[in-house]
Amino acid sequence: MLLAVAAKTAENPSWWDEWGKFLPGWLAFLWVVGTAVRKVWLRQQKLALGAADDELRDALIAARSSFEDIIAKGRRAPWFEADERRETARRIRDLAERRKDEALRAELSKVAAAWDEAFAHAPGAARPRIRVMGQPSSPQERAESARVQAQFGKEAEAARPGLEHVKSALARLNELERKTHGRS
């Protein structure tokens, strides 16, 4: 009986008996499909991250330190017009347009808007004053000083959300980099 089953199996083998022949082919097929899926996914992540991610990181770090300066001590309009800070909002907006990730783009646009708002509240350049020792300040000088301090307060209020948006944008940028490059 056993010989009859062995003879019948030899004449008409089932696929169970032949699976070893096809396993390498199926494994190669799964590897190719998996590689193609990973390549498409990685391309989508790179598009979301955008080009020049280091340039964006540098712009965000510069904006963060500027917002911290504004919050710590108010800044006047000439400080915003210095060469290293003049194009901050425009640079961030330009870098945001190169990104595909909507969450990152939204945070970057909020950072640029906060920068513009802080600049709008900045008082003008200080006028030179000549004072004589012991002479009390005039009511106009005290009113001007109070107005400038109020503008510094508004400027700091506009900078605080900007600082939070910078932190959120950096966190999102880090997350996208970890997905794409594996950076920690």
Side-chain angles (χ1 to χ4, degrees), residues 62-177:
R64 179 177 58 191
S65 65
S66 295
F67 279 132
E68 289 170 348
D69 283 350
I70 293 168
I71 292 169
K73 50 188 168 200
R75 297 296 185 169
R76 293 184 176 268
W79 182 82
F80 283 94
E81 294 168 352
D83 289 338
E84 64 271 8
R85 290 176 292 275
R86 180 178 305 153
E87 299 291 323
T88 299
R90 181 179 297 158
R91 183 175 175 207
I92 290 174
R93 282 188 183 99
D94 290 345
L95 290 170
E97 290 175 4
R98 298 169 68 181
R99 308 290 175 247
K100 188 178 176 187
D101 185 64
E102 290 301 321
L104 182 60
R105 288 178 73 163
E107 290 299 325
L108 292 174
S109 66
K110 290 175 185 176
V111 168
W115 182 266
D116 289 339
E117 187 178 350
F119 181 39
H121 290 297
R127 291 186 223 134
R129 295 186 181 121
I130 300 174
R131 297 202 30 160
V132 178
M133 287 291 285
Q135 183 182 15
S137 61
S138 68
Q140 292 86 6
E141 288 176 348
R142 286 191 297 268
E144 176 69 16
S145 177
R147 185 185 65 78
V148 167
Q149 290 303 318
Q151 282 184 302
F152 284 153
K154 289 179 184 176
E155 188 180 49
E157 287 176 21
R160 280 187 186 90
L163 184 60
E164 294 303 317
H165 292 301
V166 167
K167 290 177 183 178
S168 297
L170 282 170
R172 182 65 182 160
L173 185 63
N174 288 338
E175 181 182 340
L176 289 172
E177 281 183 343

Side-chain angles (χ1 to χ4, degrees), residues 5-38:
V5 170
K8 187 173 183 179
T9 305
E11 292 173 6
N12 190 9
S14 68
W15 68 275
W16 288 103
D17 297 330
E18 303 291 328
W19 70 271
K21 294 179 185 177
F22 298 105
L23 182 64
W26 281 106
L27 290 177
F29 173 74
L30 291 175
W31 181 74
V32 167
V33 169
T35 303
V37 167
R38 185 178 186 285

